[in-house]
Amino acid sequence: MGIGTSVFLIAVGAIFKFALTDTLVGGVRLDVVGLILILVGIVGLVVSMFVASAARRRGAVVVQDEREIL
């Protein structure tokens, strides 16, 4: 899950939690679904940031070949 997906889940979860007036649809509480989406988005965001910072720290080693290409 990327950073964009995590932010999207947080936004959709916030809409479900705070903006909808119907709280029960088909036996499912939308405010609880919104809270779950917010939590999953936050966890995904933290994991994505951790992976991105680990990749940045690791870096890449570039080796140049000093021989001339004929």
Side-chain angles (χ1 to χ4, degrees):
M1 179 182 324
I3 294 173
T5 306
S6 299
V7 171
F8 177 75
L9 285 177
I10 293 170
V12 170
I15 290 170
F16 276 26
K17 176 79 176 157
F18 303 114
L20 295 180
T21 56
D22 289 338
T23 57
L24 191 63
V25 175
V28 177
R29 291 185 53 185
L30 294 180
D31 57 338
V32 174
V33 172
L35 182 62
I36 291 170
L37 288 175
I38 290 171
L39 293 176
V40 169
I42 290 171
V43 169
L45 186 63
V46 169
V47 169
S48 296
M49 297 293 252
F50 178 74
V51 169
S53 69
R56 186 176 38 231
R57 269 186 272 130
R58 188 174 32 213
V61 177
V62 177
V63 178
Q64 278 188 314
D65 192 7
E66 298 294 329
R67 296 178 285 169
E68 280 189 43
I69 300 175
L70 298 176

